[in-house]
Amino acid sequence: MKVASIRSRVGLKVRRLPAMKALFLLLIASTTAFQRAPPVVAPSRINNAPKQPRCAFPRPSHLGGTNDGLRVTSDDLVGIRGGGDGSPPSIVAKSRAFVSKNFFLIGMGVAVSFAKLLPELGKNGSVLRPELFIGRYGVTVIFLLSGLSLKLSELTNAAANLKLNSLIQLMTFGAWPFLVGVPLTKGLELFAPSLLSKPLLEGLLILTCLPTTINMCIILTSASGGNVATSLCNTVISNMAGIFLTPALLLRFFGKSIELPFFELVSKLCNKVLLPVAVGQALRATPVKDYYTKHSSFFKRLQEVVLLGIVWNAFCNAFTKGLGLDLGNAITLFTILPLLHIGSLMTFFTFFKSSLLNLSPGEAVAAAFCSSHKTLAFGLPLINTIFEGNPNLAAYCAPLMLIHPLQLVIGSLVVPYFKEFTKEGQE
């Protein structure tokens, strides 16, 4: 029995030996394979990509991605330093950026100041002929560029928006004369009869019956990032309708029969507005369209320069000719007219941007400009034609001649606000 027990123990040791040997060989093979394996490359070094520095702060959740740390790139560091060479932006670079951002407002101040210093240089009929190069050719360029920049589908969609177009015309020929003109003139006549003379009060009422501006609201709409197609369509609609509606309103208020050179006014409107727009649309089928798209920022600045030229010419004429007003009436008009224009502009803007109308921000801006402006180019010949020979003709024209440059100044001041509004709407 003892011998058998010894044999069984020896057999157990013999059977355990192959298993221990196999385990030992497996360990050796694993170690050898690990030593021969290629080194593991960090993810940030794959394909020779530079390792990105990491910040100890967690990545904000609103920036998206994983919350495993904020990566800071070299572009971010350049933006923080202010320049690729580590130097802060120079004074020249800051000044250039400021002028570029506020070009229109700065240009407005320069135009008015230059007109005050040398009014004889920029008045109609001077050696520079601003009424020709700015009033005719410059305005033609504006409408030509408007036609070139707009797709035909944008124009047709704007023309087909009957609800918006009807509201703008209702504000121009309905709200202005009956909700502004009549209450204003009747109130001043009743409560402050000595504030303005009777002819000037009638001039204010005539002002409220006129259509919108032909070029000013289009340029201001474009500068504000608004819907230029809506502005262009309503400019044409308003001035075409004004040939009939303005005399009808004046007949209603003044009770006199009025005859207008209908075909002459229509021909002037077609030559000044419709023809340049049609030519611009035709040029969209040529390589001119690609050139315009490539240099769109230059052409947009060109439109602003033309508008500044119109401002300069208007103020030169005002400083040279004067309006034949005494000091009291002039102060009163310079108080009433800016308040009237600012109030109408912001009231119409608040109305058109309301959620009930469901208009885009660009349409609201265009509608506000079109509804609040009154035309000098159409209104002055119209008043001269209707009231020819009237001894109060100068007083009838005075409010319109005063509000024309004020519309330019006030419109330019609100352009940055409207531009921010349209940008927020696009985002």
Side-chain angles (χ1 to χ4, degrees):
M1 294 293 295
K2 190 173 182 179
V3 174
S5 176
I6 293 173
R7 285 181 178 178
S8 62
R9 292 178 182 175
V10 172
L12 179 63
K13 289 182 181 180
V14 172
R15 284 193 298 270
R16 285 180 179 177
L17 182 60
M20 295 177 63
K21 183 177 180 181
L23 180 61
F24 178 73
L25 292 176
L26 180 62
L27 291 174
I28 294 177
S30 301
T31 304
T32 306
F34 179 78
Q35 291 175 348
R36 292 180 179 178
V40 179
V41 182
S44 61
R45 305 290 291 181
I46 294 177
N47 298 329
N48 296 324
K51 185 177 180 181
Q52 300 289 345
R54 298 174 63 85
C55 179
F57 300 105
R59 180 180 180 86
S61 59
H62 69 277
L63 294 179
T66 58
N67 192 19
D68 59 349
L70 181 65
R71 294 184 182 275
V72 181
T73 64
S74 58
D75 294 335
D76 298 328
L77 295 176
V78 170
I80 294 172
R81 289 193 301 261
D85 57 353
S87 60
S90 63
I91 298 178
V92 175
K94 290 181 179 179
S95 302
R96 186 180 299 172
F98 177 80
V99 171
S100 178
K101 183 178 180 181
N102 302 278
F103 175 81
F104 200 73
L105 291 179
I106 296 173
M108 181 70 66
V110 172
V112 175
S113 302
F114 190 55
K116 180 63 176 176
L117 291 174
L118 296 171
E120 296 290 336
L121 193 62
K123 69 176 184 177
N124 290 346
S126 68
V127 65
L128 297 180
R129 299 295 301 278
E131 75 280 4
L132 180 64
F133 292 103
I134 296 176
R136 182 180 298 178
Y137 300 146
V139 171
T140 299
V141 168
I142 289 174
F143 285 108
L144 178 67
L145 294 177
S146 297
L148 184 59
S149 64
L150 294 173
K151 298 179 181 177
L152 183 60
S153 59
E154 294 177 346
L155 288 173
T156 54
N157 291 337
N161 194 342
L162 298 180
K163 181 185 75 171
L164 177 58
N165 298 337
S166 301
L167 284 174
I168 293 175
Q169 303 311 314
L170 181 62
M171 297 299 141
T172 301
F173 296 107
W176 261 106
F178 293 103
L179 300 182
V180 178
V182 173
L184 177 63
T185 54
K186 294 296 182 182
L188 289 175
E189 188 176 7
L190 182 62
F191 297 105
S194 60
L195 201 59
L196 283 177
S197 63
K198 176 84 172 169
L200 286 175
L201 289 176
E202 293 176 344
L204 285 175
L205 184 58
I206 293 171
L207 171 68
T208 61
C209 299
L210 296 175
T212 189
T213 52
I214 294 178
N215 53 2
M216 195 185 304
C217 57
I218 293 177
I219 301 174
L220 292 174
T221 299
S222 176
S224 303
N227 192 315
V228 179
T230 297
S231 183
L232 179 60
C233 286
N234 281 277
T235 292
V236 176
I237 294 172
S238 179
N239 284 269
M240 289 291 289
I243 298 175
F244 305 98
L245 294 181
T246 298
L249 290 169
L250 295 179
L251 180 63
R252 162 71 174 79
F253 294 133
F254 292 90
K256 60 180 292 187
S257 179
I258 298 169
E259 295 182 0
L260 290 177
F262 172 76
F263 291 104
E264 181 181 345
L265 293 174
V266 172
S267 176
K268 183 177 179 180
L269 183 64
C270 291
N271 290 332
K272 195 170 187 177
V273 180
L274 297 181
L275 181 60
V277 172
V279 172
Q281 284 289 300
L283 289 176
R284 288 183 60 84
T286 67
V288 175
K289 174 191 172 184
D290 297 330
Y291 184 83
Y292 173 83
T293 304
K294 185 177 180 181
H295 302 87
S296 58
S297 58
F298 166 77
F299 288 109
K300 187 173 182 180
R301 184 56 53 84
L302 177 62
Q303 288 180 306
E304 294 178 347
V305 171
V306 172
L307 181 56
L308 292 174
I310 295 173
V311 174
W312 171 64
N313 177 231
F315 273 93
C316 284
N317 289 326
F319 291 142
T320 302
K321 296 179 180 179
L323 298 173
L325 300 175
D326 58 47
L327 183 60
N329 287 329
I331 293 175
T332 303
L333 284 178
F334 270 114
T335 303
I336 293 177
L337 291 176
L339 296 176
L340 186 63
H341 183 61
I342 294 173
S344 64
L345 178 62
M346 300 314 296
T347 299
F348 290 140
F349 176 64
T350 303
F351 171 75
F352 283 112
K353 76 173 183 177
S354 65
S355 58
L356 296 176
L357 297 180
N358 195 26
L359 300 176
S360 67
E363 290 174 334
V365 169
F369 278 128
C370 290
S371 301
S372 60
H373 279 224
K374 294 298 178 181
T375 176
L376 177 71
F378 180 91
L380 204 56
L382 187 67
I383 296 173
N384 287 325
T385 302
I386 293 175
F387 298 99
E388 185 178 2
N390 192 309
N392 298 320
L393 181 60
Y396 292 163
C397 297
L400 177 59
M401 295 181 68
L402 278 178
I403 202 172
H404 177 69
L406 291 175
Q407 290 177 145
L408 289 169
V409 174
I410 295 171
S412 305
L413 292 175
V414 300
V415 160
Y417 170 72
F418 283 164
K419 184 183 291 186
E420 191 68 24
F421 173 74
T422 54
K423 283 183 178 180
E424 291 177 358
Q426 293 172 356
E427 293 174 357

